[in-house]
Amino acid sequence: MPRGLFITLEGLDGSGKTTQIKRLGAWMARRGLAVIETRQPGGTAAGERIREILLDSRSGTLAPLTEVALAFAARAQAIVEVIEPALAAGKMVLCDRFTDSTEAYQGGGRELGSAIVLELHRLICGDLQPDLTLLLLPGFEASLARARRRNDRMEQATGTNEGRFEQEQDAFYRRVWQKYREIAAREPERVVLIEGDLGIDEVHEQIVEAVSERLVLAG
Amino acid sequence: MPRGLFITLEGLDGSGKTTQIKRLGAWMARRGLAVIETRQPGGTAAGERIREILLDSRSGTLAPLTEVALAFAARAQAIVEVIEPALAAGKMVLCDRFTDSTEAYQGGGRELGSAIVLELHRLICGDLQPDLTLLLLPGFEASLARARRRNDRMEQATGTNEGRFEQEQDAFYRRVWQKYREIAAREPERVVLIEGDLGIDEVHEQIVEAVSERLVLAG
């Protein structure tokens, strides 16, 4: 059985990753492909508990290296428990965030730099890389506005100040955005950059186009 | 102000580390030294939540690399929040387990090898090393018997099968024990090996002797 494709979606908060994963998953399922949808951090029992520590203000202020190690702990578990078994069984794996998020948020946003994140990836994830990464990244002002709208909605919905990352400043988001651009420029074969402040349907069309090419390549 | 000493206690489950830390802390306090006692994993709000994930069977079966990354996440947070500030303030820091435990349990017991643990230590902990490590390590049979007694007590006390590590097999403990011996042989300057199936008072005396030497050296 041919190995499945490992496809990750990346972007700032509010970029529409979750919506697009659902649309892409449905599109693949209609074409008879076996597909699973998962997310990082999370996706396993331990991973969801790790996610809570990362997002919950009761954890106190986490050191950037703590965030990085937690992200890789969740990832290590997801690889063994979810991602590798699915790929080996020929399934398409759609994952909401992966190591690029750690590089962008902790390497860029929290200024740890890329090198440590990439070294940890090598130690913890081995040679597992996404076959395709869809990076939803409008221009910085549009990205920031989306992240802020999302933050407002979350606060209204929960009555709390959920989401540690949403509390961060514009400068933080600018570093995250910039690091995502760097990753796309560094790995153009893997990363498809979907720019522009597009609507849901337009983004979906671009995603389907990129995925279709890979499916043809994968035979 | 002179920097405090960073002293770790290591050994298998049931080796008496916790008792000895209390005794040593009291001994230091009587001599007018400022001292804090902490433990790994744990010691911070986030760290204690990480500890729960590691020890709680609701986390499912954790991959060895997940355990390692979680251990270093807790450690990163403890360094920033607890250990470094205390050392900088001239306090003695007594820590129940540190990287040697990760090397012994995951590197040895779970057979990941030492290299990955030492590389992660370098990436996450930088050049922070204990000034002194007290390794409580009776011969293997005595160590195993103690670990088993502790496990029985824990099960009786909680009515559950607490403690993931306590459920492991003799072969696992043998690898942990062996790795601890390796560490002691590799770093004789740092690691003081306290062998023999000794009573609490005898161990305390040996600890006080080792610590006294370092205190003299540290001025």
Side-chain angles (χ1 to χ4, degrees):
Chain A
M1 176 180 301
R3 187 175 159 89
L5 289 180
F6 180 35
I7 299 175
T8 60
L9 272 83
E10 292 283 354
L12 268 70
D13 311 298
S15 60
K17 297 185 308 316
T18 311
T19 304
Q20 293 298 336
I21 281 192
K22 285 199 177 65
R23 291 280 297 264
L24 177 58
W27 180 87
M28 286 180 151
R30 283 198 302 277
R31 268 143 201 85
L33 295 165
V35 54
I36 67 160
E37 298 165 25
T38 185
R39 67 176 181 176
Q40 277 297 300
T44 64
E48 291 295 330
R49 296 178 74 180
I50 293 167
R51 184 183 183 93
E52 275 173 34
I53 296 177
L54 278 165
L55 298 181
D56 187 345
S57 58
R58 281 177 302 159
S59 302
T61 301
L62 296 180
L65 283 170
T66 309
E67 292 179 350
V68 168
L70 285 172
F72 277 105
R75 202 162 290 143
Q77 192 64 22
I79 290 170
V80 169
E81 207 175 309
V82 176
I83 297 172
E84 277 294 352
L87 293 174
K91 292 179 185 162
M92 304 288 146
V93 175
L94 307 184
C95 191
D96 190 340
R97 299 197 179 281
F98 201 63
T99 294
D100 294 330
S101 281
T102 312
E103 187 178 347
Y105 280 80
Q106 279 75 38
R110 299 211 188 275
E111 303 182 277
L112 286 178
S114 291
I116 188 170
V117 176
L118 298 178
E119 256 193 281
L120 286 167
H121 179 88
R122 179 181 58 80
L123 290 171
I124 303 283
C125 306
D127 51 9
L128 179 67
Q129 285 288 357
D131 297 296
L132 172 64
T133 295
L134 302 156
L135 174 53
L136 312 187
L137 200 71
F140 177 67
E141 294 304 330
S143 289
L144 186 63
R146 283 163 177 248
R148 282 198 180 126
R149 279 201 298 277
R150 165 123 184 271
N151 189 19
D152 293 345
R153 280 204 310 277
M154 284 178 75
E155 286 183 22
Q156 283 170 12
T158 61
T160 63
N161 211 346
E162 211 194 280
R164 293 167 36 81
F165 297 124
E166 276 77 8
Q167 297 170 33
E168 302 291 341
Q169 307 298 320
D170 293 7
F172 174 84
Y173 274 115
R174 186 175 288 279
R175 292 192 299 271
V176 174
W177 185 87
Q178 187 59 45
K179 186 59 82 178
Y180 268 134
R181 300 280 307 190
E182 272 179 48
I183 296 169
R186 185 182 71 208
E187 299 183 51
E189 299 276 302
R190 169 172 70 87
V191 181
V192 171
L193 177 59
I194 299 177
E195 298 179 277
D197 195 10
L198 307 173
I200 291 175
D201 290 341
E202 293 168 294
V203 172
H204 177 64
E205 277 171 34
Q206 292 198 25
I207 286 177
V208 161
E209 191 181 334
V211 169
S212 298
E213 278 178 27
R214 303 292 163 131
L215 287 172
V216 171
L217 284 174
Chain B
M1 174 180 301
R3 187 175 159 89
L5 290 179
F6 181 34
I7 299 176
T8 60
L9 271 84
E10 291 282 354
L12 268 70
D13 310 298
S15 60
K17 296 185 308 317
T18 311
T19 304
Q20 294 297 336
I21 280 192
K22 286 200 177 63
R23 292 280 297 264
L24 177 58
W27 180 87
M28 287 180 151
R30 283 199 302 276
R31 268 141 201 86
L33 295 166
V35 54
I36 67 160
E37 298 166 25
T38 185
R39 66 175 181 178
Q40 279 296 301
T44 64
E48 291 295 330
R49 296 179 73 180
I50 292 167
R51 185 184 181 92
E52 274 174 35
I53 296 177
L54 277 165
L55 297 181
D56 187 345
S57 57
R58 281 177 302 158
S59 302
T61 301
L62 295 180
L65 283 170
T66 309
E67 293 178 349
V68 169
L70 285 172
F72 277 105
R75 203 162 289 143
Q77 191 65 23
I79 289 171
V80 169
E81 209 175 307
V82 177
I83 297 171
E84 278 293 352
L87 293 174
K91 293 180 185 160
M92 304 289 145
V93 175
L94 308 185
C95 191
D96 191 340
R97 298 195 180 284
F98 201 64
T99 295
D100 294 330
S101 281
T102 312
E103 187 179 347
Y105 280 80
Q106 279 76 38
R110 298 211 188 276
E111 301 183 279
L112 286 178
S114 292
I116 187 169
V117 176
L118 298 178
E119 256 193 282
L120 286 167
H121 179 88
R122 179 180 59 78
L123 290 170
I124 302 284
C125 306
D127 51 11
L128 179 67
Q129 284 289 356
D131 297 296
L132 172 64
T133 295
L134 301 155
L135 173 54
L136 312 188
L137 200 70
F140 177 67
E141 294 305 329
S143 290
L144 185 63
R146 283 163 176 248
R148 281 199 181 126
R149 279 202 298 275
R150 165 124 183 270
N151 189 19
D152 291 347
R153 281 204 309 276
M154 285 178 75
E155 286 183 21
Q156 282 168 13
T158 61
T160 63
N161 211 345
E162 213 194 277
R164 295 167 34 82
F165 297 123
E166 276 78 6
Q167 298 171 32
E168 302 292 341
Q169 308 297 320
D170 293 6
F172 173 86
Y173 274 114
R174 187 175 287 280
R175 291 191 299 269
V176 174
W177 184 88
Q178 186 60 45
K179 186 61 81 178
Y180 269 133
R181 302 280 308 188
E182 272 179 49
I183 295 168
R186 186 182 69 207
E187 299 182 51
E189 299 276 302
R190 170 173 69 86
V191 181
V192 171
L193 177 59
I194 299 177
E195 298 178 278
D197 195 9
L198 306 173
I200 290 175
D201 291 339
E202 293 168 295
V203 172
H204 177 64
E205 277 171 35
Q206 293 200 24
I207 286 177
V208 161
E209 190 182 335
V211 169
S212 299
E213 280 179 25
R214 303 291 163 133
L215 287 172
V216 170
L217 283 175

